[in-house]
Amino acid sequence: MVDSLETRRQELEAKLASKRKDDEDKAGDDGGDRKGYALAVKLSSEFIAAVFVGAILGYVLDTYAGTAPWGMIIFLLLGFVAGVLNVLRSVGAVEKPKVGYSSKED
Amino acid sequence: MANDPISQFQLSKLVPIEIGGMDFSFTNSSLFMVATTVVAAGFLMSTTANRGLIPTRLQSMSEMAYEFVASMLRDGAGSQGMRFFPLVFSLFMFILIANLLGMFPYFFTVTSHIIVTFALAMLVIGTVVVYGVMKHGLGFLKLFVPSGIPGVLMPLVVMIEVISFLSRPISLSVRLFANMLAGHITLKVFAGFIVAMGAQGALGFMGAALPLLMTVALTGLEFLVAFLQAYVFAVLTCMYLNDALHPSH
């Protein structure tokens, strides 16, 4: 009797373990999809925002300083650079800048 | 309600107000902002009014929201960041409740207008800049000057850092706005397919089950996005506040 209970318990444990693994796999897949979507929106918004800011800065500079079209050209390119930097930073490929300044508390 | 997927975002003036030639009308968007505030404040106040040591279900929901934001802020900006807790918690609750209210049929989604999300983002960045300058003075500008850069490259790198900083409110607001707008349009388009296919006789009626399934699935996804975007907004707020507290970091 004790033997059969023991074997039944082991069987149940094995079943539960395989079921848990399945569930985890499934959850992992779902999480992956959702994370992928969130990441895509995050990265594209980082990139587009920087290009957009560059273009606006260039346009405003051109309008007030009369340097058209050079401000637009240069700042749009800088915007692309900043966009790439933003994206690389948010995926952690580039470290946050280490700044030479330290606050009074530190 | 019209069938095209965009009309759900149309503003309508409920109480036209004009002050000095400027339009200050109370619109349906304003109505739902008020509703969001009332719901958020009402929920938090009513659930914590008769608080006990052993929380009821609703009380523990409020406590979970509090703990969630508090630990997020502590992780993101350190214990010094806790002075910004009221700001971050209000932002999180406002966006979350606004997103969730938008999930009701015929309700207006406040956060699907970029001007609303941009105002929220500017509030965050404004706080970062004002507090950073107040606390560190001109030292805050060192945020834009990485150390160990050759002098020749300095102007270029500073320009890039400035653009990168200025792009933050835009990416913050665009992310929230785009998610809500895109989600609600997709939902409406798929729901429109059900009606359009259902009108095409028996075969179409059977086929309409597919977009119906899709709509149900998307509704679940939208609830997830509603929460996720409020979370993302709050996390990034914590990150930017961290810059204001420790520009050296």
Side-chain angles (χ1 to χ4, degrees), chain A residues 34 37-38 41-43 45-54 57 75 78-79 81-83 85-86 89 96-106, chain B residues 80 135-136 139-140 142-143 145-147 156 159-161 163-164 166-168 170-171 174-175 178-179 182 224-225 228 239-240 243 245-249:
Chain A
R34 176 168 59 71
Y37 173 72
V41 174
K42 186 177 160 217
L43 294 184
S45 71
E46 293 272 10
F47 184 71
I48 293 165
V51 176
F52 190 69
V53 167
L57 275 183
F75 275 88
L78 282 177
V81 176
L85 186 69
N86 275 352
R89 225 170 240 171
K96 283 247 163 191
K98 292 253 187 295
V99 188
Y101 175 81
S102 72
S103 60
K104 282 144 212 156
E105 285 87 1
D106 294 344
Chain B
Q80 281 185 345
K135 189 157 179 242
H136 304 286
F140 181 67
K142 300 228 170 134
L143 186 66
V145 188
S147 62
L156 198 64
M159 280 316 300
I160 292 168
E161 291 287 345
I163 292 177
S164 167
L166 290 177
S167 71
R168 279 174 179 186
I170 295 177
S171 71
V174 164
R175 195 172 306 156
N179 266 291
L224 196 128
V225 168
L228 202 71
M239 240 179 69
Y240 297 157
D243 279 350
L245 288 162
H246 323 276
S248 58
H249 186 56

Side-chain angles (χ1 to χ4, degrees), chain B:
Chain B
M1 188 173 248
N3 254 333
D4 69 292
I6 298 294
S7 63
Q8 57 177 323
F9 304 116
Q10 215 131 48
L11 290 173
S12 53
K13 291 177 192 173
L14 302 178
V15 184
I17 305 168
E18 207 180 286
I19 304 169
M22 303 235 307
D23 198 356
F24 282 98
S25 302
F26 190 82
T27 61
N28 50 355
S29 180
S30 330
L31 178 68
F32 277 98
M33 280 186 227
V34 173
T36 304
T37 316
V38 169
V39 169
F43 172 73
L44 290 171
M45 280 202 247
S46 66
T47 52
T48 51
N50 301 312
R51 55 187 178 276
L53 192 59
I54 301 164
T56 59
R57 281 184 198 143
L58 287 175
Q59 189 192 330
S60 70
M61 268 177 81
S62 299
E63 285 176 2
M64 267 164 66
Y66 174 91
E67 287 291 328
F68 182 66
V69 177
S71 68
M72 186 193 330
L73 188 55
R74 235 177 254 124
D75 290 348
S79 53
Q80 281 185 345
M82 282 308 277
R83 73 183 65 185
F84 292 110
F85 180 78
L87 172 75
V88 178
F89 189 66
S90 310
L91 276 174
F92 176 75
M93 286 308 278
F94 183 82
I95 295 169
L96 180 65
I97 302 281
N99 289 351
L100 289 178
L101 275 184
M103 289 307 296
F104 282 96
Y106 295 100
F107 275 32
F108 183 84
T109 319
V110 176
T111 43
S112 64
H113 277 244
I114 192 162
I115 191 66
V116 175
T117 59
F118 188 66
L120 293 173
M122 282 313 284
L123 181 71
V124 172
I125 298 295
T127 310
V128 168
V129 171
V130 168
Y131 184 79
V133 170
M134 247 171 58
K135 189 157 179 242
H136 304 286
L138 282 177
F140 181 67
L141 293 180
K142 300 228 170 134
L143 186 66
F144 305 123
V145 188
S147 62
I149 301 284
V152 192
L153 285 177
M154 200 52 103
L156 198 64
V157 171
V158 168
M159 280 316 300
I160 292 168
E161 291 287 345
V162 168
I163 292 177
S164 167
F165 182 81
L166 290 177
S167 71
R168 279 174 179 186
I170 295 177
S171 71
L172 198 58
S173 54
V174 164
R175 195 172 306 156
L176 177 59
F177 142 83
N179 266 291
M180 297 318 290
L181 185 83
H184 281 256
I185 288 180
T186 323
L187 211 52
K188 185 100 183 180
V189 166
F190 274 100
F193 284 162
I194 304 174
V195 181
M197 283 176 84
Q200 303 296 314
L203 198 66
F205 199 80
M206 306 287 267
L210 293 174
L212 179 63
L213 279 177
M214 198 70 194
T215 311
V216 172
L218 278 174
T219 309
L221 185 75
E222 272 307 291
F223 274 107
L224 196 128
V225 168
F227 173 77
L228 202 71
Q229 286 308 311
Y231 171 70
V232 165
F233 199 97
V235 163
L236 287 173
T237 303
C238 295
M239 240 179 69
Y240 297 157
L241 287 173
N242 188 38
D243 279 350
L245 288 162
H246 323 276
S248 58
H249 186 56

